[in-house]
């Protein structure tokens, strides 16, 4: 399903991630001030998660490629639901842009692509949570038209 | 799958919601200060959403019954993912407790049941968002051990 993803001054490819992308995807997840201490499982654990994501068409694990390098990722999930007059939600998790690409417009292009994908699959509302320590991310989302209307609660199980 | 749900002074039944529950589920969703203005779709739209939820074993739409009345609901979703060392998330949406039941311990019992269900299905982290205007809900979640570590961003599509 690779498609062009147009940035201001060049074109990358946006694609469904494959199992072969996993080492690069995990490296992207770990290349982050908050994410750094959270990654470190064996590759086999990431492979099992990948298989579960890939097996359910409600999910799309995205890899943005610059030639052979994966420079961006996010996981999109369609969440059907009764609330808000039976609105399907587009849940966005695990967004990362490679440090080398920051400021390139890649993040904004990925979110525009995600919104199109959600609309094409019947979603009426997109949602994500972001750590309260990520002030730069908050400004980015607000510039893209997102609103922090909700508190994001988490609890270990 | 109906199971007993023990409250302090009586026992309700917790069950997978059925299509026949839909009118009561929609009434519960609408019996809420914030939800009131958001519900009002035709029953057919709720039925289509119900079919999508019910068809995917990643979702469990819960109905808590007191005899023939549905007095509580929530939607549980298992979200596999790569981040946080390939942690599966338990996403909780559309939680409602009937006004007649508030203060009965039903909400806390539902969340304890949800955590057990999530753990039994391999989830390591539970997450939900709640409107910033719901101060009572925030105190409730914090009492149950949840932390508002994240901002919850939404955006219409």
């Amino acid at each position: 399903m690779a498609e062009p993803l147009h940035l201001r001054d060049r074109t990358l490819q946006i694609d469904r991630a494959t199992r072969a992308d996993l080492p690069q995807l995990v490296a992207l997840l770990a290349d982050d001030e908050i994410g750094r201490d959270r990654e470190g499982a064996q590759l086999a654990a990431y492979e099992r998660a990948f298989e579960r994501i890939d097996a359910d068409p409600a999910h799309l694990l995205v890899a943005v490629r610059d030639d052979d390098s994966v420079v961006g990722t996010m996981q999109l999930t369609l969440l059907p639901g009764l609330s808000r007059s039976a609105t399907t939600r587009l849940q966005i998790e695990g967004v990362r842009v490679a440090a080398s690409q920051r400021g390139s417009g890649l993040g904004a292009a990925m979110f525009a692509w995600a919104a199109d994908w959600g609309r094409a699959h019947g979603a009426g509302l997109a949602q994500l949570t972001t750590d309260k320590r990520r002030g730069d991310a908050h400004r980015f989302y607000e510039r893209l038209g997102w609103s922090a209307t909700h508190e994001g609660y988490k609890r270990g199980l």
Side-chain angles (χ1 to χ4, degrees), chain A:
Chain A
M1 60 145 270
E3 295 176 14
L5 186 71
H6 299 291
L7 308 191
R8 282 186 298 271
D9 53 358
R10 68 213 162 97
T11 299
L12 303 174
Q13 295 289 312
I14 190 162
D15 200 1
R16 173 181 288 269
T18 68
R19 195 180 177 109
D21 294 323
L22 274 175
Q24 288 196 76
L25 294 171
V26 174
L28 268 182
L29 289 171
D31 183 19
D32 174 84
E33 201 176 339
I34 293 174
R36 181 171 300 138
D37 298 332
R38 291 183 177 156
E39 305 308 329
Q42 298 288 315
L43 187 58
Y46 291 107
E47 286 175 338
R48 283 192 297 273
F50 175 81
E51 296 302 333
R52 292 186 63 196
I53 298 165
D54 202 50
D56 185 341
H59 304 301
L60 179 65
L61 182 63
V62 167
V64 179
R65 303 178 199 285
D66 183 7
D67 292 323
D68 291 338
S69 296
V70 178
V71 295
T73 184
M74 61 186 167
Q75 181 178 330
L76 307 181
T77 297
L78 296 165
L79 273 182
L82 297 185
S83 64
R84 299 188 184 228
S85 291
T87 294
T88 294
R89 296 163 191 253
L90 172 69
Q91 175 94 7
I92 306 179
E93 295 279 355
V95 180
R96 290 290 190 286
V97 169
S100 63
Q101 307 291 319
R102 294 197 187 130
S104 69
L106 173 54
M110 286 168 60
F111 277 96
W113 191 92
D116 287 344
W117 186 86
R119 276 188 290 264
H121 290 81
L125 181 72
Q127 58 185 27
L128 61 85
T129 69
T130 181
D131 196 294
K132 288 193 175 181
R133 293 169 289 178
R134 296 193 194 274
D136 289 350
H138 303 165
R139 286 182 286 277
F140 170 77
Y141 291 126
E142 283 155 25
R143 210 166 65 233
L144 295 187
W146 293 74
S147 301
T149 51
H150 286 59
E151 290 287 345
Y153 279 89
K154 311 270 179 190
R155 183 177 185 278
L157 290 180

